[in-house]
Amino acid sequence: LKPFSASAARPELRTLRLPTSAASMPAAAAATVIVTAKRRMRKESLQRQICEERQKAIERNVAETKTLKELIKRYDTNHSKRLEADQVARLLQDMNDGREPSQVELDFIIKLCDRKCINGAIDLSELKSTIGAWKAYLKHKESVSASLVEYDRSGKCHIDREELRRCLELLNGGLAVTSDEVDWVFARASALGDGTCLTPELVMTMTVWYAHQHESESDERPAEQGCCTIS
């Protein structure tokens, strides 16, 4: 009979890079070294299986996170690892060619986007949605305001739910919108303003809806394990 060979029975063991001292280790320690090496090989194998498109997406996410961290550090003048109201205002001003946001606009952005930490400030985990919401508002506020005025049939600067639906469909290129979308706009405008008048809050909420920046209810719940901050 030929002597038993572990490498013959398990060919993959031939590729394990074991320490030269493994042979002199006790059996339990040697087994631990082998398991660790196999895990390393599996990890390397998984890394090699990532497709090019997925790898690029990972790299974009890493770069984006780095950019957001840099923005936090730039505007976080008191080193609180979050952006408070005056710091958010400076960020929004810089994004709007030096024009300061109104108090209504500033309050809207913070209330709309402070949905993960809910601390009256903008944390790292909320910064991306803050930038997206402000960009959407600046880009679409004029067209949204015009459509609201057109659909205010009562002429009393009030808009009901059906008028809002038609307004959203107009902005949506004539395509139907869901009841959930109408409810989302009304709920946010109601929480931020009165929800029924042609207020700046309603205009701003609609611009965010138009740019598809609103998140699902599950995404808006406060994080159970705390907020994402920078190190």
Side-chain angles (χ1 to χ4, degrees), residues 102-113 115 133-134 136-137 140-141 144-145 148 157 159 164 168 182-210:
S102 68
Q103 191 62 49
V104 171
E105 292 171 332
L106 178 61
D107 291 344
F108 164 79
I109 288 294
I110 294 177
K111 290 178 181 179
L112 181 72
C113 300
R115 291 186 168 271
W134 185 241
Y137 170 65
H140 302 293
K141 63 179 179 179
V144 168
S145 298
L148 275 172
C157 291
I159 187 169
L164 176 59
L168 295 179
V182 178
D183 292 342
W184 187 90
V185 173
F186 253 109
R188 294 302 174 276
S190 179
L192 302 172
D194 59 24
T196 57
C197 295
L198 300 181
T199 59
E201 290 88 348
L202 182 54
V203 173
M204 288 186 281
T205 305
M206 290 178 65
T207 61
V208 175
W209 164 84
Y210 183 83

Side-chain angles (χ1 to χ4, degrees), residues 121-159:
I122 298 300
D123 294 76
L124 177 62
S125 58
E126 300 162 339
L127 185 55
K128 181 179 178 180
S129 61
T130 300
I131 293 173
W134 185 241
K135 285 183 177 180
Y137 170 65
L138 295 177
K139 182 176 182 179
H140 302 293
K141 63 179 179 179
E142 292 185 4
S143 59
V144 168
S145 298
S147 64
L148 275 172
V149 172
E150 179 179 345
Y151 276 85
D152 176 28
R153 295 177 298 180
S154 64
K156 298 180 180 179
C157 291
H158 283 70
I159 187 169

Side-chain angles (χ1 to χ4, degrees), residues 162-183:
E162 182 57 31
E163 289 171 334
L164 176 59
R165 178 188 295 276
R166 295 182 182 181
C167 181
L168 295 179
E169 289 177 349
L170 175 65
L171 293 171
N172 199 34
L175 300 176
V177 297
T178 66
S179 296
D180 287 343
E181 291 176 283
V182 178
D183 292 342

